[in-house]
Amino acid sequence: MVDKNFTEIDADVIEDVENALNLEFRNYKLKDSKFNKETFENSEDITLIQTVGDEEIELTFSTDYSDGKYYISSGFDIISADLLEGRGARDVFQSVNLYFRNVVANPDEDFTEDKESLINFLVESDEKYSREELEVTLDENTIRQEYKDDHDEIYSQESLTDIQKSLFFKELFHMSICKVVNETDLYFTRPLDLTPEEEQEKNRQEAKALEEEMKLY
């Protein structure tokens, strides 16, 4: 049975993605894997390298094949349009994602110019974004403090395993980014950087939650 966190992908789309990845000017390239129907039929992982400016982000997606249908990790929805349409690397989610990660990874750097550039991009891309709100949510000191507070709170809970701690921490960070992007569908996606162990733990948690929910009926 296919995990409910997989999303179906048409065979034609698989072929389109495969062709897109063969174009050198794209912002994505494969790493030690192939994006074709055989990969899905063998339930093999697909790893992509996304280039955003000078940064490279490694994205890994699980695949499956069942009853003649192809499936891929639901997180692929975040980048599929960007990849297929050949848009520049300034995709909204990935731009905010990269900004957050750079801010927490470089606590001594000044990101004022990066913040202003990102705010301008977001405001110009969609009228739903408010410059005043973004000034607050993208404040680098606020991001770093919330990141530290979340880390300290989660890793102080002795009742959690190490895998559970790292999973919860990544999920909170992912939610912080989704809150800024303000796209409802993103709240139902998983962080793109989960390890296989964290994916397994997340599957276990959701299966348990579904089991408990079914007891109510």
Side-chain angles (χ1 to χ4, degrees):
M1 180 178 179
V2 176
D3 185 85
K4 67 177 182 177
N5 289 294
F6 279 60
T7 185
E8 186 177 350
I9 181 171
D10 293 336
D12 290 343
V13 175
I14 293 176
E15 184 176 347
D16 289 342
V17 172
E18 181 181 12
N19 292 333
L21 289 169
N22 288 328
L23 300 176
E24 294 182 357
F25 65 87
R26 299 280 176 163
N27 298 309
Y28 299 87
K29 61 183 179 181
L30 288 163
K31 177 184 178 183
D32 302 327
S33 55
K34 295 182 179 180
F35 203 111
N36 55 32
K37 290 188 289 187
E38 288 74 18
T39 298
F40 284 76
E41 290 164 3
N42 293 324
S43 299
E44 299 174 355
D45 287 347
I46 295 174
T47 300
L48 297 178
I49 301 296
Q50 184 196 31
T51 302
V52 182
D54 295 329
E55 299 291 329
E56 287 192 343
I57 303 173
E58 186 170 308
L59 311 173
T60 301
F61 305 96
S62 298
T63 67
D64 203 355
Y65 179 74
S66 177
D67 297 327
K69 296 181 179 180
Y70 299 92
Y71 299 86
I72 192 167
S73 302
S74 58
F76 185 72
D77 288 339
I78 296 175
I79 68 166
S80 58
D82 183 32
L83 196 159
L84 288 172
E85 295 174 17
R87 294 199 298 267
R90 289 289 283 187
D91 170 77
V92 171
F93 175 83
Q94 292 295 358
S95 293
V96 177
N97 178 51
L98 182 61
Y99 174 78
F100 266 68
R101 293 183 183 279
N102 281 338
V103 165
V104 299
N106 302 280
D108 297 325
E109 290 190 23
D110 183 356
F111 286 87
T112 301
E113 291 185 5
D114 300 78
K115 183 183 75 171
E116 290 305 313
S117 175
L118 180 55
I119 289 176
N120 289 335
F121 166 65
L122 293 174
V123 171
E124 291 172 4
S125 68
D126 198 311
E127 61 183 10
K128 70 181 179 181
Y129 294 113
S130 162
R131 182 176 296 275
E132 290 72 23
E133 291 181 5
L134 291 172
E135 286 285 354
V136 176
T137 56
L138 294 178
D139 177 74
E140 57 194 273
N141 292 325
T142 300
I143 292 173
R144 289 172 182 144
Q145 188 60 51
E146 291 181 351
Y147 184 83
K148 180 181 183 301
D149 291 344
D150 288 341
H151 177 277
D152 292 346
E153 179 179 355
I154 290 174
Y155 280 85
S156 67
Q157 298 184 34
E158 297 181 357
S159 61
L160 300 177
T161 66
D162 289 343
I163 295 298
Q164 289 172 333
K165 290 176 182 177
S166 61
L167 171 61
F168 291 155
F169 187 44
K170 287 181 179 180
E171 287 184 312
L172 281 178
F173 192 55
H174 182 63
M175 287 299 102
S176 296
I177 296 168
C178 292
K179 183 179 179 180
V180 174
V181 177
N182 194 21
E183 285 289 346
T184 303
D185 290 346
L186 287 177
Y187 287 100
F188 300 97
T189 63
R190 298 183 180 191
L192 293 175
D193 58 345
L194 295 185
T195 65
E197 294 79 11
E198 290 163 350
E199 288 278 7
Q200 184 177 9
E201 172 60 24
K202 184 63 178 177
N203 291 341
R204 185 194 67 78
Q205 293 175 5
E206 293 186 344
K208 181 64 175 179
L210 179 61
E211 180 183 333
E212 295 298 322
E213 181 179 340
M214 295 302 295
K215 292 179 181 179
L216 301 177
Y217 297 95

